Amino acid sequence: MRMEDEDYNYTYEEFEPDIFEEPRAPEGGVIRIFLVVVYSIICLLGILGNGLVIFIATYKMKKTVNTIWFVNLAIADFLFNIFLPIHITYAAMDYHWVFGTIMCKISNFLLIHNMYTSVFLLTVISIDRCISVLLPVWSQNHRSTRLAYMACVVIWVLAFFLSSPSLVFRDTALVHGKISCFNNFNLSVASSSPWPALPHLDSVMFHRHMVVTITRFLCGFLVPLLIITACYFTIVCKLQRNRLAKTKKPFKIIVTIIITFFLCWCPYQTLQLLELHHTSLPGFIFSLGLPLATAIAIANSCLNPILYVFMGQDFKKFKIAFFSRLVNALSEDTGHSPYPSHRSFTKMSSINERSFTNEKETNML
């Protein structure tokens, strides 16, 4: 028997400290209150912000490749935020799950699906940006909303399949008088029964857990990060070689969104990998660290609309209308390089854009 098989022996008193699980440290009550407050703020900002982005980009703006990317990012975040009150209730009720096994599966599925959809969209956007800089003529002739819609369909379907383990392994169990929602990688055991201490079952549980965790890390974090880094390294080299300084500014919003995404998800992904060897690490790393890392990851679902508004125009110019800043951010053509781009502004944003053209040119990154 291998050492990892001997170590990987979860019981109900020691099942994995997974997402939204109750912290077991003495400070757990404080963290629980903190998470309720944070989740509530994220939920409010996420629903309002992403809902506004979806509404404006869908009904107030011309359909462009750029707006299609932003709308799909907003939809993925919005869907997750709609279900976030369930987790707020779960934490507020001292981690007593009252919503049933099906909802336990769906809620976790939406979080992982949101992660995959967001990172795949950011990867495709980066590839789109890179192609637009390297092959501007080809991009102008072939870059179309039809291709963008097709890419989004592929992304959503792929994200669904990669998120499907949540629909399989997520489970509920009665533990110490409370129902918990957790990952049950031992499908041969009923939820109401204790984990059997059988070596072959421990091995199966460990390998299922390892496959799911490593797949999420590679497909949802490391590989997209490498592709995105390569794309923007290529873009920077191209811009510096051609001295196209004016083309740097349009990239700042999407680059900030990408950096924010990976900063938000890095702690969660790291702890998920460490959890594979949880017996060799102090328990407080997971009981305290994972709930906080999860809150940071979830916060990403409400940040994009804030970034659009704060970066769409100079935030110091308070006389610019809120809607104008948002529309301007969504309308920025982050894809084309030295060639003229076509921007689809509303009447209000067009007026504001003209009034600040000269100042924006002098402040370009």
Side-chain angles (χ1 to χ4, degrees):
M1 183 187 303
R2 292 178 298 178
M3 182 62 65
E4 70 243 31
D5 294 341
E6 295 175 347
D7 291 341
Y8 199 79
N9 184 21
Y10 286 147
T11 63
Y12 270 158
E13 288 73 31
E14 192 188 359
F15 55 69
E16 64 176 298
D18 197 11
I19 185 170
F20 299 119
E21 186 178 338
E22 176 183 3
R24 297 181 182 80
E27 299 86 353
V30 175
I31 293 181
R32 182 169 59 85
I33 297 173
F34 171 77
L35 292 179
V36 170
V37 174
V38 171
Y39 289 164
S40 300
I41 296 174
I42 293 172
C43 181
L44 178 62
L45 294 178
I47 291 177
L48 293 178
N50 289 295
L52 187 60
V53 169
I54 295 171
F55 175 78
I56 291 179
T58 302
Y59 297 104
K60 301 296 183 179
M61 299 175 63
K62 179 183 177 181
K63 296 295 182 296
T64 65
V65 172
N66 209 42
T67 57
I68 291 173
W69 301 140
F70 286 127
V71 166
N72 277 268
L73 278 172
I75 291 175
D77 291 335
F78 185 81
L79 287 177
F80 173 71
N81 278 279
I82 286 293
F83 282 83
L84 194 52
I86 294 177
H87 302 292
I88 298 173
T89 305
Y90 184 40
M93 295 181 64
D94 197 17
Y95 298 95
H96 178 53
W97 187 266
V98 296
F99 304 102
T101 303
I102 299 298
M103 193 57 66
C104 172
K105 295 175 181 290
I106 293 176
S107 60
N108 187 253
F109 167 83
L110 287 174
L111 173 69
I112 304 303
H113 188 273
N114 171 261
M115 177 195 73
Y116 278 124
T117 305
S118 297
V119 74
F120 289 163
L121 282 167
L122 295 177
T123 303
V124 171
I125 291 172
S126 301
I127 295 173
D128 179 36
R129 303 288 79 82
C130 187
I131 293 175
S132 297
V133 170
L134 296 179
L135 304 170
V137 177
W138 184 92
S139 179
Q140 283 193 330
N141 293 333
H142 296 86
R143 188 172 181 263
S144 65
T145 57
R146 181 174 177 273
L147 286 178
Y149 280 122
M150 291 175 60
C152 290
V153 170
V154 173
I155 287 172
W156 282 83
V157 172
L158 182 60
F160 176 87
F161 283 107
L162 288 174
S163 306
S164 59
S166 294
L167 301 177
V168 177
F169 296 116
R170 205 67 180 173
D171 202 357
T172 57
L174 184 62
V175 184
H176 303 309
K178 293 186 294 185
I179 299 176
S180 294
C181 175
F182 68 106
N183 280 337
N184 177 6
F185 290 103
N186 193 351
L187 297 179
S188 62
V189 180
S191 304
S192 59
S193 304
W195 297 114
L198 299 178
H200 72 281
L201 290 179
D202 292 339
S203 177
V204 170
M205 291 167 60
F206 175 79
H207 285 94
R208 286 172 176 169
H209 186 188
M210 181 178 65
V211 169
V212 170
T213 301
I214 293 179
T215 299
R216 286 178 182 174
F217 177 74
L218 292 177
C219 298
F221 192 82
L222 183 59
V223 173
L225 177 61
L226 293 176
I227 294 175
I228 290 171
T229 301
C231 287
Y232 280 95
F233 178 79
T234 303
I235 291 172
V236 170
C237 291
K238 178 70 173 180
L239 297 180
Q240 288 181 344
R241 183 164 58 249
N242 294 344
R243 296 182 180 181
L244 300 172
K246 289 187 178 182
T247 62
K248 294 181 180 179
K249 185 181 188 305
F251 294 105
K252 74 174 185 177
I253 291 181
I254 190 60
V255 169
T256 303
I257 292 172
I258 290 170
I259 293 174
T260 301
F261 175 88
F262 284 106
L263 289 178
C264 287
W265 280 96
C266 184
Y268 178 80
Q269 292 282 6
T270 301
L271 286 175
Q272 289 292 300
L273 288 176
L274 292 176
E275 191 185 356
L276 291 173
H277 302 283
H278 66 285
T279 55
S280 60
L281 296 170
F284 74 87
I285 292 179
F286 303 106
S287 62
L288 295 179
L290 196 51
L292 296 177
T294 299
I296 296 173
I298 290 175
N300 183 252
S301 65
C302 73
L303 291 179
N304 288 351
I306 298 175
L307 294 176
Y308 299 152
V309 173
F310 278 68
M311 299 184 67
Q313 292 274 16
D314 185 357
F315 182 64
K316 295 179 181 179
K317 307 300 180 181
F318 290 101
K319 65 180 180 179
I320 304 178
F322 173 86
F323 289 136
S324 177
R325 288 200 298 268
L326 183 56
V327 171
N328 179 68
L330 297 177
S331 300
E332 272 191 290
D333 191 344
T334 58
H336 296 293
S337 52
Y339 290 85
S341 60
H342 298 283
R343 301 184 179 187
S344 53
F345 293 87
T346 61
K347 180 178 180 181
M348 177 178 61
S349 63
S350 297
I351 295 174
N352 285 323
E353 176 67 17
R354 287 195 299 270
S355 65
F356 286 97
T357 296
N358 294 332
E359 181 176 351
K360 288 173 66 180
E361 289 293 328
T362 60
N363 292 326
M364 283 186 175
L365 298 179

PDB file of all heavy atoms in Angstrom, residues 115 118-119 177 234 250 273 277 290 302 311 322:
ATOM      1  N   MET A 115     -15.831  30.031 -12.827  1.00  0.00           N
ATOM      2  CA  MET A 115     -14.375  30.107 -12.940  1.00  0.00           C
ATOM      3  C   MET A 115     -13.920  29.715 -14.341  1.00  0.00           C
ATOM      4  O   MET A 115     -13.155  30.445 -14.987  1.00  0.00           O
ATOM      5  CB  MET A 115     -13.717  29.180 -11.919  1.00  0.00           C
ATOM      6  CG  MET A 115     -12.197  29.130 -12.013  1.00  0.00           C
ATOM      7  SD  MET A 115     -11.472  27.746 -11.106  1.00  0.00           S
ATOM      8  CE  MET A 115     -11.940  26.357 -12.169  1.00  0.00           C
ATOM      9  N   SER A 118     -15.133  32.251 -17.111  1.00  0.00           N
ATOM     10  CA  SER A 118     -14.400  33.507 -17.056  1.00  0.00           C
ATOM     11  C   SER A 118     -12.986  33.363 -17.599  1.00  0.00           C
ATOM     12  O   SER A 118     -12.534  34.167 -18.420  1.00  0.00           O
ATOM     13  CB  SER A 118     -14.353  34.028 -15.611  1.00  0.00           C
ATOM     14  OG  SER A 118     -15.653  34.306 -15.127  1.00  0.00           O
ATOM     15  N   VAL A 119     -12.286  32.337 -17.154  1.00  0.00           N
ATOM     16  CA  VAL A 119     -10.888  32.204 -17.572  1.00  0.00           C
ATOM     17  C   VAL A 119     -10.785  31.828 -19.047  1.00  0.00           C
ATOM     18  O   VAL A 119      -9.866  32.277 -19.752  1.00  0.00           O
ATOM     19  CB  VAL A 119     -10.148  31.181 -16.691  1.00  0.00           C
ATOM     20  CG1 VAL A 119     -10.539  29.748 -17.025  1.00  0.00           C
ATOM     21  CG2 VAL A 119      -8.636  31.362 -16.814  1.00  0.00           C
ATOM     22  N   GLY A 177     -25.683  16.646  14.086  1.00  0.00           N
ATOM     23  CA  GLY A 177     -26.976  17.316  14.149  1.00  0.00           C
ATOM     24  C   GLY A 177     -27.206  18.360  13.083  1.00  0.00           C
ATOM     25  O   GLY A 177     -28.269  18.987  13.058  1.00  0.00           O
ATOM     26  N   THR A 234       3.810  38.811 -26.403  1.00  0.00           N
ATOM     27  CA  THR A 234       3.927  39.021 -27.850  1.00  0.00           C
ATOM     28  C   THR A 234       3.413  40.391 -28.250  1.00  0.00           C
ATOM     29  O   THR A 234       4.024  41.097 -29.073  1.00  0.00           O
ATOM     30  CB  THR A 234       3.143  37.939 -28.603  1.00  0.00           C
ATOM     31  OG1 THR A 234       3.608  36.647 -28.222  1.00  0.00           O
ATOM     32  CG2 THR A 234       3.276  38.104 -30.109  1.00  0.00           C
ATOM     33  N   PRO A 250      -5.757  51.079 -25.013  1.00  0.00           N
ATOM     34  CA  PRO A 250      -6.943  50.233 -25.107  1.00  0.00           C
ATOM     35  C   PRO A 250      -6.825  48.893 -24.410  1.00  0.00           C
ATOM     36  O   PRO A 250      -7.836  48.259 -24.152  1.00  0.00           O
ATOM     37  CB  PRO A 250      -7.105  50.033 -26.626  1.00  0.00           C
ATOM     38  CG  PRO A 250      -6.455  51.220 -27.226  1.00  0.00           C
ATOM     39  CD  PRO A 250      -5.301  51.507 -26.340  1.00  0.00           C
ATOM     40  N   LEU A 273      -4.671  22.576  -4.107  1.00  0.00           N
ATOM     41  CA  LEU A 273      -3.557  21.661  -4.352  1.00  0.00           C
ATOM     42  C   LEU A 273      -2.962  21.157  -3.039  1.00  0.00           C
ATOM     43  O   LEU A 273      -2.668  19.966  -2.895  1.00  0.00           O
ATOM     44  CB  LEU A 273      -2.473  22.356  -5.179  1.00  0.00           C
ATOM     45  CG  LEU A 273      -2.795  22.618  -6.651  1.00  0.00           C
ATOM     46  CD1 LEU A 273      -1.649  23.395  -7.302  1.00  0.00           C
ATOM     47  CD2 LEU A 273      -3.028  21.312  -7.404  1.00  0.00           C
ATOM     48  N   HIS A 277      -2.630  16.881   0.166  1.00  0.00           N
ATOM     49  CA  HIS A 277      -1.753  16.345   1.206  1.00  0.00           C
ATOM     50  C   HIS A 277      -2.083  17.014   2.533  1.00  0.00           C
ATOM     51  O   HIS A 277      -1.200  17.493   3.242  1.00  0.00           O
ATOM     52  CB  HIS A 277      -0.287  16.562   0.822  1.00  0.00           C
ATOM     53  CG  HIS A 277       0.093  15.933  -0.490  1.00  0.00           C
ATOM     54  ND1 HIS A 277       0.317  14.577  -0.624  1.00  0.00           N
ATOM     55  CD2 HIS A 277       0.256  16.463  -1.725  1.00  0.00           C
ATOM     56  CE1 HIS A 277       0.623  14.300  -1.891  1.00  0.00           C
ATOM     57  NE2 HIS A 277       0.583  15.427  -2.574  1.00  0.00           N
ATOM     58  N   LEU A 290      -8.930  28.433   3.752  1.00  0.00           N
ATOM     59  CA  LEU A 290      -9.815  28.139   2.625  1.00  0.00           C
ATOM     60  C   LEU A 290     -11.078  28.984   2.605  1.00  0.00           C
ATOM     61  O   LEU A 290     -11.472  29.468   1.537  1.00  0.00           O
ATOM     62  CB  LEU A 290     -10.159  26.647   2.616  1.00  0.00           C
ATOM     63  CG  LEU A 290     -10.751  26.103   1.321  1.00  0.00           C
ATOM     64  CD1 LEU A 290      -9.896  26.488   0.127  1.00  0.00           C
ATOM     65  CD2 LEU A 290     -10.889  24.590   1.385  1.00  0.00           C
ATOM     66  N   CYS A 302     -17.880  40.141  -8.810  1.00  0.00           N
ATOM     67  CA  CYS A 302     -18.504  41.470  -8.772  1.00  0.00           C
ATOM     68  C   CYS A 302     -17.542  42.584  -9.162  1.00  0.00           C
ATOM     69  O   CYS A 302     -17.929  43.763  -9.199  1.00  0.00           O
ATOM     70  CB  CYS A 302     -19.076  41.761  -7.380  1.00  0.00           C
ATOM     71  SG  CYS A 302     -17.819  42.119  -6.119  1.00  0.00           S
ATOM     72  N   MET A 311     -12.286  52.622 -14.773  1.00  0.00           N
ATOM     73  CA  MET A 311     -11.225  52.736 -15.762  1.00  0.00           C
ATOM     74  C   MET A 311     -11.730  53.210 -17.120  1.00  0.00           C
ATOM     75  O   MET A 311     -10.938  53.514 -18.003  1.00  0.00           O
ATOM     76  CB  MET A 311     -10.515  51.394 -15.945  1.00  0.00           C
ATOM     77  CG  MET A 311      -9.854  50.892 -14.673  1.00  0.00           C
ATOM     78  SD  MET A 311      -8.928  49.385 -14.949  1.00  0.00           S
ATOM     79  CE  MET A 311      -7.615  50.013 -16.004  1.00  0.00           C
ATOM     80  N   PHE A 322     -22.289  58.227 -14.682  1.00  0.00           N
ATOM     81  CA  PHE A 322     -21.967  56.825 -14.377  1.00  0.00           C
ATOM     82  C   PHE A 322     -22.197  55.950 -15.599  1.00  0.00           C
ATOM     83  O   PHE A 322     -21.339  55.134 -15.975  1.00  0.00           O
ATOM     84  CB  PHE A 322     -22.843  56.364 -13.211  1.00  0.00           C
ATOM     85  CG  PHE A 322     -22.721  54.894 -12.907  1.00  0.00           C
ATOM     86  CD1 PHE A 322     -21.720  54.433 -12.074  1.00  0.00           C
ATOM     87  CD2 PHE A 322     -23.612  53.980 -13.457  1.00  0.00           C
ATOM     88  CE1 PHE A 322     -21.609  53.075 -11.787  1.00  0.00           C
ATOM     89  CE2 PHE A 322     -23.506  52.636 -13.178  1.00  0.00           C
ATOM     90  CZ  PHE A 322     -22.504  52.190 -12.340  1.00  0.00           C
TER      91      PHE A 322
END
